[in-house]
Amino acid sequence: MVRVLLWGMGEIGSRAARMLVERPQVEIVGAISHQVGVDVGAAVGAPEHGVTIVGRPDDVGNVEADVCLLATDQRVRDLAPQIEWLLIQGTSVIASGEEMIFPWASEPDLAGVIDAKARAVGRTVYGTGVNPGFAMDALVLCLTSCCASVRRIDVVRASDFSPYGPGPLRSLGVGLEPDEFRAGLAAGTVDGHIGFRESIGAISRALGWAIEEFREEIEPIVTTVERRTPHITVSPGRVAGCAHSAEALIGGEVVIRLSHPQQIEPAAEGAAVGDTVTIDGAPPITMQITPEIEGGQATAARMVNAIGSVLDGPPGLVAMDELALPFATPLGVPGTRVRAGAA
Amino acid sequence: MVRVLLWGMGEIGSRAARMLVERPQVEIVGAISHQVGVDVGAAVGAPEHGVTIVGRPDDVGNVEADVCLLATDQRVRDLAPQIEWLLIQGTSVIASGEEMIFPWASEPDLAGVIDAKARAVGRTVYGTGVNPGFAMDALVLCLTSCCASVRRIDVVRASDFSPYGPGPLRSLGVGLEPDEFRAGLAAGTVDGHIGFRESIGAISRALGWAIEEFREEIEPIVTTVERRTPHITVSPGRVAGCAHSAEALIGGEVVIRLSHPQQIEPAAEGAAVGDTVTIDGAPPITMQITPEIEGGQATAARMVNAIGSVLDGPPGLVAMDELALPFATPLGVPGTRVRAGAA
């Protein structure tokens, strides 16, 4: 029986909760979120579960959780105090915040502090998701295991943001005039994708590449036709999404290029969607996933499916290159490090 | 410094040796193969390396190796005595033999013996490769980590065998009349792909699926046009390869289907090549690698790239679901479980 604490029940946290309430090997021992007083099962459209959501960590009472699924914030600096509190309770952490998939990229000092505190209490802290956390990094690394050498890696994740609501659309600048998009970039209200530094950090640490230069580029995708989703209608000449990319260089040569065009209704102008990985190596590998791996459900699944390997993981702050091969645990068996037995 | 023993220097073993002689963090401490008396560097087209190939394990002298790359045989029953000898020397093992990627499928009793002996000496035994070992299993599992649930898995690996020589072509029945192909199947001289039971075993153990029924089918691919490779010419009406597939069922429903058409010059009749994975899950995932991941170089790379995680692995006989996320170690850093540090 694995005891899980849920902290943050927005889209990702709720989806993770939905997976967990059905798993007999999981005991949800607490839930912290805005829907204070609501039963955690009822909050996610499942039968009554017997655990009431509280609003603040101190209201959980005696925290006796093996692991917390932490889906509250995107940035390490916002997550660090929450993680430190969890470690004091003796709880390992699986965080969905983008920067947490490789915290050394954005906050090396805080990463060191978290690592030291986790080691001191013998617990594991890990960040995961689909992007960053899989499509542009873990999956790429897994493919390189077939290579005797790797010269360069190119990844394109072309996403359809039509299902997403106001929050994500705002961060892409969807609906703005191109001038407003640029002003939003300057003001920080438009920020595109968070995670390029993290994906590049994770890949380059694993491959042993010492990146010398990092570049990022963000441009509006201006539509020439009207595009409409359940959440927004964008008229011609306005922003339907953003083309965000990053490059990592060694010796003046690009060794990693990550490109992430994100827009609503890409089909309206014939733009393809999908995840494409091109490894210039020996042997070369070209991989395509069509359409792109859907982000919301898959991010929650990545968190839940990581429970087993985090509980078996080394103490400290760890990244994807330090944990077991990930896989689905659909039968509700979060700890899957079985050691023998035929199929 | 990692001390490596090489045992078996056929195509796979030689390619692995070629990778290792260039890695400063690796010391090749011995090599066992048919080219007795030849320097291991010279044997693989590299500069003199200072290690002379011997013909029998007892001729290696004092074996002080951390790990042996064992590329001698395909079957667990042939590999078991070699593995047991290595464990007595205190050496961990990475084997390329197809059955070793999940030895519980073909030889559960021997697997138990190997596991017990490996645990007794605190060493790790692991089998890996591209197929089985990656394209039809480890890669599939990695993709399922994005799924909240998985209902069914379909994998097609359509391979071009044009580069391969007499041995592999014979096992596919290439060049035979269809009748001779069927006679070869009955006699065991034609056997197609070894690894379906292993891939299905590895997937189903990880996902927690209790497979109730296993079916395998093998049919000749008869060419209607002349096909020619550097190694063979096949006239119309004769066998250009074989279509080999397997299915695993639960409750009468197919839950895993693996299909592996292998032929020379597939383009001659417009047959596509590639690795395709279709996961019927939540979310669904459709992945394609075109052309298929090349088998020879990639299998050697998978062995070399596993050195770090095997040395850090748990004692015993382990499979892909028990070791770390695999990735390339192109800078010659076989142990890559670094614990911190920015990119």
Side-chain angles (χ1 to χ4, degrees):
Chain A
M1 204 70 173
V2 176
R3 298 164 305 172
V4 179
L5 173 66
L6 301 169
W7 191 347
M9 289 181 65
E11 197 209 336
I12 302 297
S14 294
R15 284 176 182 272
R18 191 73 187 74
M19 289 176 69
L20 290 176
V21 291
E22 286 170 355
R23 301 194 171 210
Q25 292 92 338
V26 170
E27 184 187 357
I28 297 175
V29 295
I32 308 164
S33 184
H34 301 300
Q35 307 108 298
V36 177
V38 180
D39 178 84
V40 72
V44 298
E48 193 90 356
H49 198 74
V51 174
T52 303
I53 297 172
V54 299
R56 300 176 321 140
D58 290 336
D59 297 336
V60 177
N62 259 348
V63 182
E64 293 203 350
D66 299 303
V67 63
C68 173
L69 299 196
L70 181 62
T72 52
D73 288 288
Q74 299 181 291
R75 305 282 185 185
V76 173
R77 60 175 175 268
D78 299 319
L79 290 161
Q82 301 165 23
I83 292 168
E84 289 174 27
W85 184 86
L86 288 163
L87 290 173
I88 290 167
Q89 320 302 314
T91 303
S92 285
V93 180
I94 298 174
S96 62
E98 287 94 331
E99 286 185 358
M100 279 301 295
I101 75 114
F102 197 78
W104 299 275
S106 62
E107 301 279 358
D109 294 344
L110 267 180
V113 170
I114 295 170
D115 184 46
K117 295 197 176 180
R119 285 166 187 259
V121 296
R123 293 297 183 272
T124 303
V125 177
Y126 175 61
T128 192
V130 165
N131 189 30
F134 190 75
M136 287 191 156
D137 38 56
L139 175 59
V140 177
L141 285 175
C142 187
L143 290 169
T144 68
S145 71
C146 294
C147 298
S149 62
V150 180
R151 280 174 296 274
R152 176 177 163 139
I153 290 166
D154 286 80
V155 187
V156 179
R157 178 168 168 83
S159 297
D160 180 358
F161 260 59
S162 306
Y164 290 93
L169 295 184
R170 200 161 31 235
S171 78
L172 298 185
V174 174
L176 300 179
E177 296 282 355
D179 281 356
E180 295 170 332
F181 179 95
R182 283 178 231 283
L185 273 184
T189 52
V190 174
D191 58 4
H193 172 63
I194 302 175
F196 287 125
R197 284 182 183 276
E198 288 70 21
S199 293
I200 285 171
I203 291 172
S204 56
R205 181 172 88 176
L207 300 191
W209 287 356
I211 301 301
E212 295 163 357
E213 204 186 327
F214 175 86
R215 296 177 193 152
E216 211 168 326
E217 201 177 79
I218 184 164
E219 289 292 333
I221 298 172
V222 179
T223 187
T224 62
V225 299
E226 184 177 283
R227 301 197 197 182
R228 192 186 294 264
T229 78
H231 304 287
I232 197 167
T233 299
V234 178
S235 47
R238 287 187 170 257
V239 173
C242 88
H244 200 173
S245 63
E247 293 180 335
L249 295 86
I250 298 175
E253 298 277 329
V254 174
V255 292
I256 305 173
R257 180 165 209 284
L258 308 179
S259 169
H260 191 15
Q262 307 170 80
Q263 58 192 303
I264 59 163
E265 291 295 304
E269 292 190 73
V273 293
D275 291 296
T276 308
V277 176
T278 311
I279 298 171
D280 176 7
I285 298 175
T286 303
M287 186 224 74
Q288 211 157 6
I289 294 174
T290 316
E292 84 278 19
I293 298 175
E294 180 273 323
Q297 186 169 33
T299 292
R302 293 267 307 155
M303 295 180 84
V304 171
N305 290 330
I307 292 174
S309 54
V310 164
L311 293 181
D312 281 354
L317 177 62
V318 301
M320 62 187 74
D321 56 331
E322 298 172 279
L323 286 191
L325 179 79
F327 50 80
T329 55
L331 294 194
V333 191
T336 44
R337 300 276 85 76
V338 286
R339 293 299 314 285
Chain B
M1 204 70 170
V2 176
R3 299 163 304 171
V4 179
L5 174 66
L6 301 169
W7 191 347
M9 288 180 65
E11 197 209 336
I12 302 298
S14 295
R15 284 176 182 270
R18 190 73 188 76
M19 290 176 68
L20 290 175
V21 292
E22 286 171 356
R23 302 195 170 207
Q25 292 91 336
V26 170
E27 184 187 357
I28 298 175
V29 296
I32 308 165
S33 185
H34 301 299
Q35 308 107 299
V36 178
V38 179
D39 178 85
V40 71
V44 298
E48 193 89 357
H49 198 74
V51 173
T52 303
I53 296 173
V54 299
R56 299 176 322 140
D58 289 335
D59 297 338
V60 177
N62 259 346
V63 182
E64 294 203 350
D66 300 303
V67 63
C68 174
L69 300 196
L70 181 62
T72 52
D73 289 288
Q74 300 181 291
R75 304 282 185 184
V76 173
R77 59 175 177 268
D78 299 319
L79 289 161
Q82 302 164 22
I83 292 168
E84 289 174 26
W85 184 86
L86 288 163
L87 289 173
I88 291 167
Q89 320 302 314
T91 303
S92 286
V93 180
I94 298 173
S96 62
E98 286 94 330
E99 286 185 358
M100 279 301 297
I101 76 114
F102 197 78
W104 299 274
S106 61
E107 300 279 358
D109 294 344
L110 267 179
V113 171
I114 294 170
D115 184 46
K117 295 197 174 180
R119 285 166 187 258
V121 297
R123 293 296 182 273
T124 304
V125 177
Y126 176 61
T128 191
V130 164
N131 190 31
F134 190 75
M136 287 190 157
D137 38 56
L139 175 58
V140 177
L141 284 175
C142 188
L143 290 168
T144 67
S145 72
C146 293
C147 298
S149 63
V150 180
R151 279 174 296 273
R152 175 177 163 139
I153 291 167
D154 286 80
V155 187
V156 179
R157 178 168 168 84
S159 298
D160 181 358
F161 260 58
S162 305
Y164 290 93
L169 296 184
R170 200 159 33 233
S171 78
L172 297 186
V174 174
L176 301 178
E177 295 281 356
D179 281 356
E180 296 169 332
F181 179 96
R182 283 178 231 283
L185 273 183
T189 54
V190 174
D191 58 3
H193 172 63
I194 302 175
F196 287 124
R197 283 182 184 277
E198 288 70 21
S199 293
I200 285 171
I203 291 172
S204 57
R205 181 172 86 177
L207 300 191
W209 288 356
I211 301 301
E212 295 163 358
E213 202 186 329
F214 175 86
R215 297 177 192 152
E216 211 168 326
E217 199 176 79
I218 184 164
E219 288 293 333
I221 298 172
V222 179
T223 187
T224 62
V225 298
E226 185 178 282
R227 302 197 197 182
R228 190 186 295 265
T229 78
H231 305 287
I232 197 166
T233 299
V234 178
S235 48
R238 287 186 168 257
V239 172
C242 88
H244 200 172
S245 63
E247 293 179 336
L249 295 87
I250 298 176
E253 298 277 330
V254 174
V255 293
I256 305 173
R257 179 164 211 283
L258 309 180
S259 169
H260 190 15
Q262 308 169 80
Q263 58 192 302
I264 61 163
E265 292 295 304
E269 292 189 74
V273 293
D275 291 297
T276 308
V277 177
T278 309
I279 298 170
D280 176 7
I285 298 176
T286 304
M287 187 223 73
Q288 211 157 7
I289 294 174
T290 317
E292 83 278 19
I293 298 175
E294 180 272 324
Q297 186 169 32
T299 292
R302 292 267 308 155
M303 295 180 83
V304 170
N305 290 330
I307 292 174
S309 54
V310 164
L311 293 180
D312 281 355
L317 176 63
V318 301
M320 62 187 75
D321 57 331
E322 298 173 279
L323 286 191
L325 179 79
F327 50 80
T329 55
L331 294 193
V333 191
T336 43
R337 301 273 87 75
V338 286
R339 292 300 313 283

